[in-house]
Amino acid sequence: MYRVIYDEVIYTILLILDKLDLSTETINSPDTKEGVAENLEDPSALRPKNPTDYQFFLNLVDFTGELLPSAQLAMFSHWVLPFGRKLIILSHTYTHVSGFFKLLTTCMSLCRRLDYFENEDRMETELETVHSDAFILFQKFLSELLSTLSQLKGEMLAASLHLILSFPLQIVERDFSSVIPAIKIAFRVGLSHLPLAETALNTLDEWLLNLNSHIILKHMPDILPALDDYLTTSADSGAESVTNERALIGSMSGSKRVSRMSAKRLRTADTSSEARDLSSHLSKIRHRIVLFLGSLGGQTNSFLVRRGPSPLLISWDSSS
């Protein structure tokens, strides 16, 4: 009975996704139909044509992201291919909707927990053929994501990076070198979006633990310089950009009883709280980076220094 309910829920989620109108239009030109290439460069200039459907979609993304990881894991196994295929098709249809990347991230995370691609090279049974088809589908989609990464920005870029870093190792290791630019971008974007930096660190830990050490270590000279910014960046410099001032002012605009001085004090308190949270989160990430560097051994320390014409290095004088 539980299996029947689970299957019906997944089927209904896919059915709803297929019926929602998530098309977008430019703010300055409402008659413009959803573009593919031209609007990728400025997603902030877009708005949903059907705000009701879009809000329902956002709620459905959150619901699915909470439901599937908490349900019985094995039941998702036979949904991996149809679920992933439908989301990829819809992500091609609605190229500016980051929610499909978030749903695919959930799908990839479940595949990792299931060890779904553990025996992807074997195709002896019908079930293994399905697994192989899913492997080919997601491998092609990963290559597509990597090729379009430079065209994305904002939330679409962050969602795409979260998705790339969630792919199972069996897929990633087939063309590992092509994923390295993505994790470098993830650490760069992560300076202003710390959850992405945390995801990138989790991925590095997993790579180091499960991949051949020769494969991962030869790419460390390219990866480690991106970590240096976290060790040298002040939390105060990023705190100014992390504030709820706009939402705060909006919530007070309808009340005449709140004075300007009160609003200023509230904004100051809110910003201070955000700054403390940012500093705490950044401190945890710094601590993890130090632990990660320690796990690599001393031979990789010099990789933190960016390559340049005359890097500032201090040599140890063993004679004194």
Side-chain angles (χ1 to χ4, degrees), residues 265-279:
R265 285 197 295 266
L266 285 172
R267 286 197 300 267
T268 302
D270 184 70
T271 304
S272 299
S273 176
E274 291 286 338
R276 286 194 299 270
D277 291 343
L278 178 64
S279 178

Side-chain angles (χ1 to χ4, degrees), residues 88 101 104-112 117 134-146 159-173 179 199 203 206-207:
I88 290 173
F101 286 172
L104 281 163
T105 299
T106 299
C107 181
M108 292 296 96
S109 299
L110 293 176
C111 287
R112 289 162 64 178
F117 299 111
F135 183 89
I136 294 171
L137 172 70
F138 293 132
Q139 187 178 37
K140 289 182 178 179
F141 186 61
L142 175 59
S143 298
E144 177 187 317
L145 280 175
L146 293 171
S160 177
L161 291 168
H162 275 292
L163 173 55
I164 290 170
L165 298 179
S166 72
F167 271 79
L169 286 171
Q170 293 86 354
I171 296 177
V172 171
E173 65 183 352
V179 185
T199 297
T203 301
E206 185 179 11
W207 288 353

Side-chain angles (χ1 to χ4, degrees), residues 41-183:
E41 298 180 359
D42 190 16
S44 62
L46 300 173
R47 63 185 176 191
K49 290 183 179 179
N50 191 327
T52 302
D53 276 15
Y54 197 83
Q55 184 59 53
F56 188 91
F57 170 74
L58 295 178
N59 294 336
L60 186 61
V61 170
D62 292 339
F63 170 77
T64 306
E66 292 288 337
L67 174 68
L68 296 188
S70 62
Q72 291 189 17
L73 186 61
M75 292 188 178
F76 187 71
S77 182
H78 74 286
W79 280 103
V80 169
L81 182 56
F83 192 77
R85 181 189 288 127
K86 173 56 71 175
L87 293 177
I88 290 173
I89 292 173
L90 289 172
S91 73
H92 289 154
T93 303
Y94 302 110
T95 55
H96 307 103
V97 180
S98 62
F100 292 114
F101 286 172
K102 294 176 182 178
L103 289 172
L104 281 163
T105 299
T106 299
C107 181
M108 292 296 96
S109 299
L110 293 176
C111 287
R112 289 162 64 178
R113 290 173 57 190
L114 283 165
D115 290 327
Y116 188 80
F117 299 111
E118 190 67 30
N119 300 310
E120 79 281 356
D121 291 325
R122 289 165 38 195
M123 300 176 58
E124 299 173 0
T125 68
E126 182 179 353
L127 178 61
E128 288 163 348
T129 301
V130 172
H131 284 211
S132 180
D133 290 343
F135 183 89
I136 294 171
L137 172 70
F138 293 132
Q139 187 178 37
K140 289 182 178 179
F141 186 61
L142 175 59
S143 298
E144 177 187 317
L145 280 175
L146 293 171
S147 66
T148 60
L149 204 55
S150 61
Q151 303 176 48
L152 303 177
K153 63 191 300 184
E155 186 175 350
M156 286 297 298
L157 176 60
S160 177
L161 291 168
H162 275 292
L163 173 55
I164 290 170
L165 298 179
S166 72
F167 271 79
L169 286 171
Q170 293 86 354
I171 296 177
V172 171
E173 65 183 352
R174 291 298 181 94
D175 191 12
F176 184 70
S177 60
S178 66
V179 185
I180 299 303
I183 199 166

Side-chain angles (χ1 to χ4, degrees), residues 240-273:
E240 296 178 1
S241 62
V242 183
T243 177
N244 290 328
E245 180 175 341
R246 189 173 301 174
L248 179 63
I249 295 175
S251 67
M252 295 187 300
S253 60
S255 176
K256 298 181 179 179
R257 294 176 297 177
V258 181
S259 67
R260 292 183 179 179
M261 187 61 68
S262 297
K264 183 177 181 180
R265 285 197 295 266
L266 285 172
R267 286 197 300 267
T268 302
D270 184 70
T271 304
S272 299
S273 176

